[in-house]
Amino acid sequence: MFDLDRWQEIYHVLRKNKLRTFLTAFGVFWGIFMLVIMLGSGNGLENGITQNFGDMATNSVFIWGQQTSVSYKGFPRGRRIEYENSDILALQKGIPEIKYLAPRTNVGGYDGTSNVLRKLKAGQFALFGDFPVFNQIDPVNMVKGRFLNDLDLKEKRKVVVIGQRVVELLFEKGEEPLNQYIEINGVYFKVIGVFRSKRTGEQASGDNQRIHMPFTTLQRTFNYGNTVGFFNVTAKDDVPVDVVENKAMDILKKRHAVAPSDDDAIGHFNLRKEYDKMEGLFFGIRLLVWIVGTGTLLAGVIGVSNIMLVVVKERTKEIGIQRALGATPINIISQIITESVVLTTFAGYFGLTIGVGLLELINYLLSSSGANTEMFVHPGVDFKVAVMALCILIVSGALAGFIPARRAVSVKPIDALRYE
Amino acid sequence: MINIKNIHKSYVMGQSRLHVLKGIDLEIKSGEMISVMGASGSGKSTLLNILGILDNYDTGEYSLDGTPIRKLNERKAAALRNHLLGFVFQSFNLISFKNAMENVALPLYYQKVSRKKRNIIAMEYLERMGLKEWAHHLPNELSGGQKQRIAIARALIAKPKVILADEPTGALDSVTSLEMMDILQEINRTGITMVIVTHEHDIAARTEKTIKITDGIITEIIKN
């Protein structure tokens, strides 16, 4: 099918009117170029936003205490709900669908900070009492040392895992933080690990200014007794997190004498729902990009079809000669379709390459300039999409050639031969 | 070889109908060399086009080398043109971007003969036409006589049984015209049937039989 004669003919036809060929090719080039750029930008936006989630398990739910809004079982409304260690066990036993249960207490409540000293340096950092599984739900990158473990928890060790920013602020440059002691609210703790957030931008700098210590250590050292600040729960992989969320709410309401109808007493936040909303948004963006992109591409392809009609008309006599010499309709049709496919594929390949190249350049400039690009990270299209776009091109090239090809063989050979 | 009975052909042009062939009967035996003469508009070219399966006819019968030619699909018609017929046109009809050798080889391309093989065969035919040195020239670098000889080589390469020539000397000067007739006569001597449409008497005189067509009817058959 792809013999030299065919290529010679394609070359001749495309070269005969260079400007026309160029302009036609440009239509297709522009279509695929725009598609790639838009897809890549969409991906960049999506990457930027999903990175704000870090590696956080999306099937997780946060539960914290608020104030009751309904009086119940003799309790007045407006009572503050506080959780205790016994709630941990009750949740664990009552909900078999739980994969990880990570209670947490932070000193000074939500957004509170503690005074931290080391030698002559001081800082204000958020201090958390955590279970080791917390690192499974919302993982961090360990830069040095290790995260908390079960023994730390069991023995109520006075150890801490600190964020990278904490190290920068409390230690001299180049100083080794591991196994050093820092003073938190007057008590000394040993540094066993340093981490860096997996998020980007502002959220990451917040994460990196945190200090984590064993949950039990925090309760005892800072006089929190049995108090649990909030729960972070993830569901098993095959269970929707709503199930766990609802069961946990029921158990906690019962244990704390909260009216079943009281929705205000227990605060909860379902990450899955937020994530789903975001996914819906991304789907909308992607759909829009494809509609606009393929529309642009279609305009280019119609241009090709148009030009092929002109080419076929110009070459009517030549096609007539070929048919007189024994060219079958299939010969003629496949020749014209090949021309059209070659033109579209060639132009489209250029568009694809230059589009991807431009995205890579933007990517490079973004990362080398070190700009804070919280909303736009790693624009680019994946290989699968590129191959798909190329397939669309080849198919649309074939379609663009089909109508002109049909027209070329629809005339009688003698009419074609007589055409001037 | 060619057998036509009571062929009618008319062209529809809007409201009016132009009856071009009004019942043609003709038998051409294998190896014959005949000429068709007539005034312009007499239907001689239409007859040749029907013989060449380039055009269809309305009623009548036509059989070519024993094959009835009636309502063939384009694929079969193309195969018959390729294997049984060779065409020589007044305006040569060479493909402008192919060189002489490639033009001659074209019918074999449609028979799916390999490029190497068909180019070798094409060179043989060019040599017979005395154009071996011109094999790699494009048509616009050649004279009219050279072009027509290339067209003849192209018509011969698929070893057809019939050569149909439509005013083969119409675009050539008298000396070249005579040369062309020598070549065609020589080809005829190898057993190939030949039908030549012409309006020049001295060309017609060099064929075995001249058929005169007037207003779509054969009015006279002259043995030369």
Side-chain angles (χ1 to χ4, degrees):
Chain A
M1 184 164 169
F2 289 99
D3 48 59
L4 199 60
D5 285 66
R6 179 155 291 187
W7 287 113
Q8 181 193 34
E9 202 164 327
I10 291 170
Y11 177 73
H12 166 77
V13 168
L14 296 183
R15 225 187 68 128
K16 205 168 159 190
N17 197 329
K18 288 191 198 100
L19 181 65
R20 186 175 71 193
T21 301
F22 170 77
L23 290 176
T24 313
F26 189 78
V28 175
F29 163 85
W30 192 247
I32 199 86
F33 178 76
M34 287 312 286
L35 181 66
V36 168
I37 292 293
M38 285 194 294
L39 278 176
S41 306
N43 280 344
L45 198 63
E46 190 171 339
N47 289 340
I49 289 170
T50 46
Q51 274 207 7
N52 280 336
F53 282 89
D55 268 359
M56 187 138 196
T58 49
N59 58 340
S60 61
V61 58
F62 300 91
I63 302 169
W64 64 94
Q66 297 183 162
Q67 285 181 327
T68 58
S69 62
V70 180
S71 52
Y72 187 64
K73 283 190 176 172
F75 292 106
R77 63 198 195 97
R79 176 171 51 100
R80 246 212 114 72
I81 300 298
E82 291 203 329
Y83 304 121
E84 303 172 348
N85 286 357
S86 56
D87 289 323
I88 301 174
L89 220 65
L91 287 175
Q92 199 84 267
K93 279 197 177 146
I95 313 171
E97 293 90 348
I98 285 180
K99 188 176 180 191
Y100 299 123
L101 172 63
R104 165 181 275 187
T105 298
N106 53 335
V107 170
Y110 184 74
D111 257 3
T113 53
S114 304
N115 282 317
V116 184
L117 301 170
R118 179 172 184 278
K119 291 187 180 164
L120 291 173
K121 298 194 170 197
Q124 295 257 320
F125 303 108
L127 178 60
F128 297 94
D130 277 315
F131 275 55
V133 288
F134 203 90
N135 204 29
Q136 309 293 323
I137 298 175
D138 187 8
V140 290
N141 286 319
M142 291 309 295
V143 180
K144 278 178 179 156
R146 62 171 175 85
F147 199 71
L148 305 169
N149 65 23
D150 289 332
L151 269 177
D152 297 333
L153 198 75
K154 200 176 153 203
E155 295 178 357
K156 304 186 179 68
R157 289 173 178 167
K158 285 205 176 62
V159 293
V160 287
V161 177
I162 59 179
Q164 210 166 27
R165 186 70 188 146
V166 180
V167 177
E168 286 164 19
L169 291 171
L170 292 183
F171 292 85
E172 297 293 338
K173 226 177 169 173
E175 201 178 354
E176 175 59 60
L178 286 187
N179 298 321
Q180 300 286 320
Y181 286 86
I182 58 175
E183 188 191 333
I184 304 170
N185 293 341
V187 184
Y188 282 91
F189 294 86
K190 185 174 164 184
V191 176
I192 56 164
V194 176
F195 68 85
R196 198 178 59 231
S197 174
K198 287 192 173 183
R199 288 181 247 268
T200 53
E202 226 171 284
Q203 295 210 27
S205 66
D207 286 352
N208 290 335
Q209 293 188 51
R210 290 180 169 184
I211 296 173
H212 300 271
M213 65 173 65
F215 182 76
T216 49
T217 313
L218 183 130
Q219 279 187 334
R220 194 164 72 168
T221 313
F222 298 108
N223 297 324
Y224 276 83
N226 282 339
T227 315
V228 177
F230 68 91
F231 297 102
N232 194 344
V233 191
T234 59
K236 284 185 176 158
D237 294 345
D238 50 348
V239 182
V241 71
D242 306 42
V243 174
V244 172
E245 185 182 16
N246 292 334
K247 281 192 175 183
M249 299 291 286
D250 287 346
I251 290 171
L252 291 172
K253 278 178 178 173
K254 234 173 248 167
R255 289 178 58 84
H256 293 273
V258 173
S261 60
D262 190 350
D263 289 329
D264 289 339
I266 296 172
H268 54 112
F269 179 81
N270 187 331
L271 198 61
R272 176 83 251 167
K273 277 184 190 152
E274 295 303 307
Y275 201 77
D276 286 348
K277 266 188 231 161
M278 215 73 89
E279 285 283 287
L281 177 71
F282 292 145
F283 178 77
I285 292 175
R286 269 197 295 265
L287 191 70
L288 191 71
V289 163
W290 275 105
I291 288 173
V292 174
T294 47
T296 317
L297 191 60
L298 188 69
V301 168
I302 288 172
V304 172
S305 195
N306 228 331
I307 287 304
M308 291 313 292
L309 276 175
V310 175
V311 165
V312 162
K313 201 158 177 66
E314 277 179 357
R315 296 179 60 212
T316 304
K317 191 178 172 108
E318 201 177 286
I319 291 169
I321 298 169
Q322 292 178 338
R323 288 173 72 184
L325 295 179
T328 59
I330 301 293
N331 286 139
I332 305 287
I333 287 174
S334 67
Q335 170 72 37
I336 291 163
I337 287 180
T338 315
E339 271 167 38
S340 163
V341 167
V342 166
L343 186 62
T344 19
T345 310
F346 194 67
Y349 184 75
F350 257 93
L352 198 64
T353 317
I354 292 177
V356 170
L358 187 65
L359 285 175
E360 287 299 315
L361 184 71
I362 291 171
N363 211 343
Y364 169 77
L365 292 177
L366 278 182
S367 58
S368 66
S369 70
N372 184 3
T373 54
E374 203 172 332
M375 297 302 281
F376 198 73
V377 178
H378 295 315
V381 289
D382 56 16
F383 186 68
K384 220 165 58 186
V385 173
V387 169
M388 201 160 100
L390 210 58
C391 288
I392 291 176
L393 271 178
I394 293 169
V395 170
S396 49
L399 288 178
F402 188 70
I403 297 167
R406 280 293 299 273
R407 178 166 289 192
V409 293
S410 68
V411 294
K412 277 190 292 182
I414 185 61
D415 294 336
L417 266 174
R418 283 208 190 116
Y419 185 87
E420 288 301 335
Chain B
M1 178 58 57
I2 289 172
N3 210 331
I4 57 177
K5 274 181 197 147
N6 200 23
I7 290 274
H8 283 264
K9 169 78 181 173
S10 47
Y11 291 109
V12 180
M13 288 167 179
Q15 301 276 315
S16 62
R17 231 175 125 82
L18 190 64
H19 205 162
V20 182
L21 296 181
K22 301 166 179 169
I24 299 273
D25 293 285
L26 183 64
E27 201 192 334
I28 301 169
K29 293 195 181 66
S30 185
E32 267 190 306
M33 182 171 188
I34 68 157
S35 54
V36 181
M37 287 191 80
S40 55
S42 62
K44 58 184 193 305
S45 284
T46 303
L47 177 63
L48 195 78
N49 293 333
I50 289 171
L51 293 181
I53 332 178
L54 294 170
D55 205 348
N56 49 17
Y57 55 93
D58 301 333
T59 57
E61 280 170 41
Y62 170 28
S63 80
L64 173 64
D65 195 27
T67 313
I69 308 296
R70 180 79 188 157
K71 296 214 168 14
L72 293 175
N73 66 32
E74 240 322 290
R75 191 173 56 82
K76 277 185 193 148
L80 284 175
R81 286 197 289 266
N82 188 256
H83 287 97
L84 292 180
L85 302 171
F87 292 92
V88 177
F89 303 96
Q90 179 177 5
S91 55
F92 323 127
N93 284 347
L94 299 175
I95 307 280
S96 60
F97 56 87
K98 287 179 183 289
N99 66 29
M101 177 183 71
E102 288 166 336
N103 261 293
V104 173
L106 201 54
L108 295 183
Y109 172 67
Y110 298 118
Q111 290 182 11
K112 297 191 167 47
V113 176
S114 78
R115 187 179 168 85
K116 204 174 156 190
K117 206 168 156 190
R118 63 175 189 263
N119 283 349
I120 292 171
I121 299 169
M123 284 305 282
E124 284 170 20
Y125 278 87
L126 280 175
E127 201 172 356
R128 270 173 62 181
M129 295 292 153
L131 287 170
K132 201 181 172 190
E133 310 79 82
W134 298 91
H136 296 286
H137 286 253
L138 291 174
N140 60 12
E141 299 162 346
L142 302 169
S143 72
Q146 288 171 322
K147 283 189 212 175
Q148 196 60 299
R149 276 187 280 165
I150 287 164
I152 292 170
R154 182 176 68 180
L156 287 174
I157 196 167
K159 295 193 168 57
K161 296 195 170 163
V162 181
I163 295 253
L164 302 171
D166 190 3
E167 307 265 11
T169 58
L172 302 173
D173 60 76
S174 54
V175 180
T176 323
S177 293
L178 291 176
E179 276 175 31
M180 219 48 64
M181 284 314 291
D182 290 341
I183 293 171
L184 291 177
Q185 270 182 320
E186 203 177 300
I187 291 164
N188 176 245
R189 263 178 236 122
T190 64
I192 295 175
T193 313
M194 194 159 298
V195 181
I196 299 168
V197 167
T198 184
H199 60 265
E200 290 168 67
H201 286 282
D202 49 344
I203 299 295
R206 294 186 59 173
T207 61
E208 296 162 13
K209 217 195 261 177
T210 300
I211 292 160
K212 283 207 168 162
I213 294 186
T214 316
D215 288 337
I217 298 169
I218 296 177
T219 48
E220 206 180 344
I221 297 177
I222 307 160
K223 295 221 172 186
N224 296 312

